[in-house]
Amino acid sequence: MFNIRKNAFTAKICTGVTVVYVFITMIYFYKFTLNTAPKRSNDVQHKDTSDYNGTDAEFVRMYHSKHQLYKKNLIPNHMTQQRLLINEITNDGDVVLASFFVSQKDPQRNVFIRPNFNYIKNFYTTVFYHKLKTVIMHDALPESFIRKYETPLIKFMKTDVPVDFTVNDFRFIHYRKFLQSKRYKYVFLADISDVYFWRNPFEYMRNNSKSSKLFLSKDEGTFGSNGWMVNKMMQCYEEDVSQQNTLLRNDGAWGGETKAIICLLGCISRQLNITLKQKGNCNMAAFNWCVNRGSCLINNPIYTGDTLFNPFRHNCDSAKYAIIHDKCKNSHNKCMVIEHDKLFRRSCNR
């Protein structure tokens, strides 16, 4: 009898050990399968980038640190999926608007812009870092490019550019159309190739002490002292402004409360669609005409501080300013990088 009980007890122990062993084996096999599964085309491959050659490897290098990233779309691990979902499906909060058009020649450079990440990397790096909801208008970016760089907070929106508009002019018309059906509190409009952010611009806008509703960056000089603008106003409006001392504003970096932005975009759109129709790349002229002669600024005070934007063509490396319009000489080889959860500006060849 004793032997029978002993054998039964031993059998139970063996059965239990077997069950535990099978359970552990299944868990190990499951994890191994996940880790070795083929990566989807839009997943980022974390690879050795020590041989950086100025291509998209720079993008991986910027984000590859001791802090792991979500494998899908480079989402930081401290951002919850629930928060990302909320940001993706609502039209409230704040938004950055930019454009990346490649089907027509850039009217200022007179060249076609290639769908290359290097063209937008400083802008992209910093909106990604600050978790800014961003919409990038485009006309013909490859689907592979969009799959690689789109995230729940950074979206690409396709639109067709009419042949009778330059891409620089059309973006403002389309921005207005886009915003009219949205409920954003603040909007910032940026040139995608040469604007980047040291800090979240919307925090500055919400906390400004003068209750400003429009935040406009300065250009170089005045209407009369800026030779480029003198020629542009003559081309677009057939007006001689060489004796005017009105401050010149730049339309490559500006923002504010959505209602004020829509008002200003409406004025710009009317100018480009009617007064300046087919005169070619007149957005800067239209922008400054609306700022100085339109009615939008009557009830929308302009920000007049000096720490939101860097001085035009100066201090492009300075973290003193929240927003950098990177027009400085010899700054084309400077890259924004993220290391150890901090932003740095360094040589792209590092």
Side-chain angles (χ1 to χ4, degrees):
M1 178 67 69
F2 177 79
N3 288 336
I4 293 175
R5 290 180 177 176
K6 182 178 180 181
N7 290 340
F9 179 75
T10 302
K12 289 181 179 180
I13 292 177
C14 292
T15 302
V17 171
T18 302
V19 170
V20 171
Y21 177 79
V22 170
F23 181 74
I24 293 174
T25 302
M26 291 176 65
I27 292 176
Y28 177 81
F29 179 79
Y30 179 72
K31 289 185 175 180
F32 178 81
T33 303
L34 285 180
N35 291 333
T36 57
K39 298 290 191 288
R40 292 168 296 181
S41 60
N42 63 335
D43 285 345
V44 175
Q45 306 296 317
H46 291 267
K47 58 186 178 182
D48 179 14
T49 57
S50 58
D51 60 342
Y52 167 60
N53 61 359
T55 63
D56 290 348
E58 170 67 6
F59 177 74
V60 178
R61 185 181 73 119
M62 286 190 294
Y63 298 109
H64 188 65
S65 68
K66 66 179 182 180
H67 302 283
Q68 282 194 337
L69 307 173
Y70 276 67
K71 287 186 178 181
K72 182 179 179 181
N73 295 326
L74 297 173
I75 304 303
N77 56 13
H78 57 278
M79 296 177 65
T80 66
Q81 290 182 344
Q82 181 180 9
R83 179 183 172 191
L84 291 176
L85 181 61
I86 291 173
N87 276 285
E88 182 176 13
I89 63 176
T90 60
N91 292 322
D92 53 5
D94 312 313
V95 68
V96 177
L97 297 182
S99 60
F100 193 179
F101 295 124
V102 296
S103 66
Q104 294 185 22
K105 283 186 176 181
D106 181 311
Q108 288 185 259
R109 300 178 178 89
N110 197 34
V111 296
F112 285 97
I113 303 300
R114 294 173 54 240
N116 189 324
F117 179 75
N118 290 338
Y119 185 73
I120 68 171
K121 62 186 173 186
N122 286 347
F123 171 87
Y124 188 101
T125 300
T126 53
V127 297
F128 176 91
Y129 176 81
H130 294 297
K131 309 177 191 69
L132 302 178
K133 187 184 299 183
T134 303
V135 177
I136 300 172
M137 311 293 181
H138 77 98
D139 53 352
L141 289 176
E143 190 62 32
S144 58
F145 185 97
I146 294 171
R147 285 198 307 268
K148 185 171 185 179
Y149 297 116
E150 190 169 70
T151 78
L153 289 179
I154 302 174
K155 293 297 182 183
F156 291 83
M157 178 174 290
K158 191 176 188 303
T159 184
D160 295 321
V161 181
V163 294
D164 52 346
F165 284 98
T166 67
V167 291
N168 285 359
D169 288 349
F170 176 73
R171 56 182 168 161
F172 294 113
I173 297 172
H174 195 65
Y175 290 160
R176 177 176 178 264
K177 180 180 178 181
F178 171 79
L179 289 173
Q180 283 181 315
S181 61
K182 303 298 185 291
R183 304 187 304 273
Y184 298 117
K185 174 63 175 175
Y186 288 97
V187 181
F188 191 84
L189 297 85
D191 281 353
I192 201 167
S193 65
D194 52 23
V195 170
Y196 71 87
F197 305 93
W198 278 114
R199 292 183 293 285
N200 184 332
F202 301 118
E203 291 178 0
Y204 195 105
M205 293 180 187
R206 284 191 292 270
N207 298 324
N208 82 93
S209 59
K210 296 183 179 180
S211 300
S212 302
K213 294 185 178 180
L214 284 168
F215 300 80
L216 311 181
S217 61
K218 299 175 183 178
D219 204 287
E220 196 167 40
T222 64
F223 272 60
S225 66
N226 188 305
W228 183 91
M229 193 61 182
V230 170
N231 293 334
K232 183 59 66 174
M233 289 297 289
M234 182 59 70
Q235 169 203 331
C236 299
Y237 285 100
E238 299 180 3
E239 179 182 351
D240 181 8
V241 297
S242 59
Q243 303 304 313
Q244 294 186 20
N245 293 321
T246 306
L247 183 68
L248 191 60
R249 303 283 181 173
N250 192 284
D251 66 359
W254 60 291
E257 290 189 6
T258 301
K259 185 177 180 180
I261 294 297
I262 290 176
C263 180
L264 200 49
L265 286 173
C267 177
I268 295 170
S269 297
R270 288 189 294 273
Q271 291 294 306
L272 294 174
N273 270 312
I274 302 173
T275 308
L276 307 176
K277 185 74 171 181
Q278 295 185 329
K279 290 197 172 182
N281 205 40
C282 288
N283 57 92
M284 264 287 283
F287 177 74
N288 277 277
W289 190 97
C290 290
V291 168
N292 292 286
R293 303 177 187 179
S295 61
C296 296
L297 273 64
I298 295 176
N299 298 314
N300 296 311
I302 298 179
Y303 156 84
T304 56
D306 58 359
T307 59
L308 182 59
F309 302 99
N310 65 307
F312 193 69
R313 297 191 188 278
H314 295 282
N315 306 116
C316 291
D317 295 336
S318 177
K320 171 184 176 181
Y321 306 98
I323 304 164
I324 300 295
H325 198 175
D326 194 3
K327 293 285 190 179
C328 298
K329 293 181 179 179
N330 303 319
S331 65
H332 62 281
N333 198 35
K334 297 287 187 68
C335 288
M336 296 301 294
V337 299
I338 301 172
E339 293 180 1
H340 308 298
D341 290 336
K342 292 184 179 180
L343 277 175
F344 298 90
R345 184 163 166 84
R346 294 177 176 160
S347 169
C348 297
N349 297 322
R350 244 184 101 162

